Structures are given as C-alpha cells and as structure tokens.
Amino acid sequence: ENLNVNQFWYETPYVPPGKKMGDMEFQQKHKTILTTSLPFPSILKRLPIISKTTIIYSPLQTSLDVIKSRVQSLASEVNIPNPNTKSLQMVLQGSVLLQVNAGILEICRIFLKKEGNEGKYKKEELDELKRELERFVEICGKGLVLNKSMIGGEQMEFQKRLEEGYEDVKKQIGEFLGKDFNEDLNKDKEGVDI
C-alpha cells in the first residue's frame, strides 16, 4: 500500500498580508506537493526533491474542505460496525454545539449571504458548498439517532443538548440554503450509510 511512493504533500494555512488569521473570508490554504527522484521506501534515508508544486486554495475552497472533512469525520463514526459513543459524541459536539467559533455557520454567513456576494464566487463552488452543507445536516442527524440508540439514561441530558444544538444549526443552515430540513430524530438507525 505504501510502496513506490515518490510524492508527498503538506498544507499550510495562509492569509494575505494585512488580513487577520482565522477570518474565514480571507483564510486560504497552500498545498505543496514534493516529488522525489526515487520512490520510498529506499535504502537511502534522504532523496533529492526533483519538483515542488504549490496549489493555492481560495477561501471558499478552503472552507469547502473544512466542511468535507467534518462530514467525513461524522460519516466515519456513524458507519463503522461497532461505533464508539465517546468519539461519536466528540465529533457531534464539535459539529452541533458551537462554542468558541461558529465554524460552519460562519462559513454560511460569509459565502452564502445575499448582499455583496453577487458574482464574487464561482457558481459551481457555491453549489458544491450547498450540497456539502446538506450532507452535513443529514449526517449530523444520523449521528444523533445513532448516539441516542447507544446511550443510557445517564446521558439523556447531554443527548438533549446535542439535539437542541442540532435543531438550531439545522435551522440556520436551512435559512442560508432556502431549505426547510424536516428530519425526525426519533427514527431508527436504518439507512445510516452516507
């Protein structure tokens, strides 16, 4: 699986000079791809780099990556054969109980606001953002259903907080998308695959 590898990559967050780090409206990402002269594994500990390519992701592309990563984390937790309640709850908590930063809702505010965004972003990327937000809402709902089916009475208060946070996030995302998400959290675990 990891034989004959001669390309490696890393990502670096970046904001243009004069802009504040952490502001999603300006947050970019540089992806650097390094290619070595020979593949790894090798008997040599170091190999010369023969090419270096840098791809710059726009703020919208960077935000899309954040959402896709969150959806993937949730899907991984929801779709494993023997789910772990602790790790599922951690991912759910970070998704629906917004604390320090607004995360996904901030992305919605920046890229899906009606005023001032006309022609500012590519339609295809905005459409992809909307699809990923719908997937996010869907997988969060499925994660909550799964969590509820696995916990005991001592965790019902936490489940209630998660559900309230989910309803708030779902409502706000729905407003940005012009969509009404009507999802019943009391349905069973069937159809959890995403």
Side-chain angles (χ1 to χ4, degrees):
E1 178 179 332
N2 293 323
L3 300 175
N4 293 323
V5 177
N6 74 334
Q7 283 196 328
F8 304 88
W9 61 269
Y10 61 91
E11 295 177 336
T12 310
Y14 169 79
V15 291
K19 303 298 180 187
K20 188 175 77 174
M21 187 63 129
D23 187 347
M24 295 301 289
E25 188 171 4
F26 304 107
Q27 184 73 49
Q28 297 179 354
K29 183 170 44 174
H30 289 184
K31 182 176 186 176
T32 305
I33 303 167
L34 304 173
T35 305
T36 57
S37 61
L38 296 170
F40 280 98
S42 173
I43 58 171
L44 302 173
K45 289 184 181 180
R46 296 180 181 195
L47 293 172
I49 294 172
I50 57 170
S51 78
K52 177 180 176 181
T53 307
T54 301
I55 302 168
I56 299 172
Y57 289 92
S58 71
L60 178 54
Q61 292 167 328
T62 301
S63 295
L64 240 167
D65 199 43
V66 166
I67 296 172
K68 285 180 179 181
S69 176
R70 179 59 61 161
V71 168
Q72 183 59 45
S73 295
L74 282 160
S76 295
E77 291 297 329
V78 168
N79 293 323
I80 58 175
N82 297 314
N84 178 327
T85 55
K86 283 210 182 289
S87 57
L88 174 61
Q89 287 173 355
M90 283 176 40
V91 178
L92 281 170
Q93 183 175 7
S95 299
V96 300
L97 294 180
L98 307 175
Q99 295 172 1
V100 177
N101 62 42
I104 287 182
L105 293 179
E106 183 64 16
I107 291 170
C108 290
R109 277 187 210 98
I110 292 168
F111 299 107
L112 298 177
K113 67 183 176 186
K114 303 294 183 216
E115 301 162 10
N117 276 352
E118 298 84 10
K120 196 172 179 182
Y121 306 107
K122 293 179 183 175
K123 182 184 180 329
E124 304 82 40
E125 290 178 348
L126 288 172
D127 289 344
E128 186 177 1
L129 176 64
K130 291 174 184 177
R131 283 191 302 275
E132 286 302 318
L133 287 166
E134 288 178 12
R135 288 185 67 213
F136 173 77
V137 169
E138 178 185 350
I139 196 67
C140 283
K142 289 177 179 180
L144 285 170
V145 170
L146 175 61
N147 188 61
K148 190 173 189 174
S149 72
M150 296 183 337
I151 61 172
E154 71 282 352
Q155 291 187 320
M156 287 312 273
E157 185 60 35
F158 180 64
Q159 176 71 18
K160 184 179 177 196
R161 283 186 30 234
L162 287 174
E163 290 176 3
E164 288 168 354
Y166 170 69
E167 288 301 322
D168 185 45
V169 167
K170 179 172 74 167
K171 179 179 180 255
Q172 289 186 56
I173 290 175
E175 288 170 3
F176 282 107
L177 298 179
K179 183 172 181 146
D180 184 17
F181 294 102
N182 289 322
E183 187 164 311
D184 182 11
L185 288 176
N186 297 318
K187 63 185 176 184
D188 60 14
K189 187 188 167 191
E190 284 186 66
V192 170
D193 289 341
I194 185 162

